[in-house]
């Protein structure tokens, strides 16, 4: 047979094998590690966020950290502000791509006047064996820093109070 074709077939099979290994790693190690690390962060820093594990499509799995409610520690400061609207929904998402790599991105809260392209900030795509507890914490810090900037700038764009 053709040597070049044999090499191409072998390369193709090897690429599929790598995808399978990455997907297995996500299921057995990476996803549980991300979920556990985020749960520990949530328990140690109760600022109104929740953890979601999504398994909604055959090839789309994700774990995210989402702002669900106003930080309890600041609730008493709202006693005189009955018209304050907390913009929930900001999320840090770790999602497995078809090829097994992990796509990390930030979703911003949904505002009627925003455009869909600015509602996501990509933090990168990573090999699942590169993800550890320190990596997850680093991405949570990136997320918080980005949301701090967003909270300061959304006021300029949002009409009303």
């Amino acid at each position: 047979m053709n040597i070049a074709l044999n090499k191409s077939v072998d390369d193709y099979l090897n690429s599929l094998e790598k995808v399978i290994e990455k997907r297995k790693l996500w299921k057995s190690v990476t996803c549980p590690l991300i979920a556990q690390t985020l749960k520990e962060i949530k328990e140690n820093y109760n600022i109104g966020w929740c953890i979601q594990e999504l398994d909604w499509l055959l090839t789309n799995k994700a774990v995210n950290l989402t702002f669900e409610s106003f930080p309890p520690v600041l609730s008493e400061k709202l006693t005189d502000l009955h018209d304050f609207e907390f913009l929930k929904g900001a999320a840090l998402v770790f999602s497995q791509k078809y090829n097994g790599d992990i796509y990390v991105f930030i979703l911003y809260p949904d505002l009627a006047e925003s455009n869909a392209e600015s509602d996501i900030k990509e933090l990168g795509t990573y090999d699942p064996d590169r993800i550890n507890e320190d990596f997850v914490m680093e991405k949570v810090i990136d997320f918080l820093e980005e949301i701090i900037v967003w909270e300061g700038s959304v006021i300029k764009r949002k009409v009303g109070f």
Side-chain angles (χ1 to χ4, degrees):
M1 252 324 8
N2 184 313
I3 293 174
L5 178 57
N6 285 343
K7 181 179 177 344
S8 292
V9 168
D10 287 344
D11 289 347
Y12 171 69
L13 293 174
N14 286 335
S15 71
L16 287 178
E17 191 173 336
K18 285 179 186 176
V19 169
I20 290 168
E21 290 306 313
K22 286 180 183 180
R23 293 185 70 75
K24 283 181 179 179
L25 186 60
W26 166 265
K27 188 173 185 172
S28 65
V29 176
T30 310
C31 182
L33 178 123
I34 292 169
Q36 182 58 39
T37 304
L38 292 177
K39 285 174 187 168
E40 289 172 9
I41 291 170
K42 177 188 179 252
E43 289 170 7
N44 289 316
Y45 303 94
N46 183 14
I47 58 174
W49 45 22
C50 70
I51 312 304
Q52 297 175 317
E53 291 185 55
L54 307 171
D55 189 1
W56 49 0
L57 297 172
L58 201 52
T59 59
N60 193 344
K61 319 285 188 241
V63 179
N64 64 18
L65 181 67
T66 304
F67 281 112
E68 182 177 64
S69 64
F70 192 73
V73 70
L74 296 177
S75 292
E76 67 183 43
K77 295 188 184 256
L78 291 177
T79 53
D80 296 337
L81 297 175
H82 303 291
D83 57 356
F84 177 76
E85 177 190 2
F86 173 69
L87 300 174
K88 63 182 179 177
L92 172 63
V93 182
F94 297 84
S95 181
Q96 186 178 49
K97 293 176 137 189
Y98 170 80
N99 72 351
D101 286 340
I102 310 307
Y103 178 45
V104 183
F105 59 97
I106 295 171
L107 291 173
Y108 297 96
D110 185 30
L111 297 175
E113 65 274 0
S114 69
N115 83 32
E117 290 178 15
S118 66
D119 293 343
I120 294 176
K121 178 173 183 173
E122 297 180 8
L123 298 181
T125 299
Y126 306 91
D127 194 290
D129 65 4
R130 193 174 153 205
I131 296 175
N132 57 34
E133 188 175 301
D134 288 339
F135 175 91
V136 174
M137 286 189 201
E138 175 186 310
K139 295 306 171 200
V140 171
I141 291 167
D142 292 345
F143 170 57
L144 288 170
E145 289 173 353
E146 188 64 31
I147 294 305
I148 290 166
V149 170
W150 182 87
E151 287 282 352
S153 68
V154 74
I155 294 166
K156 296 175 192 171
R157 298 180 306 197
K158 187 165 174 57
V159 177
F161 52 86

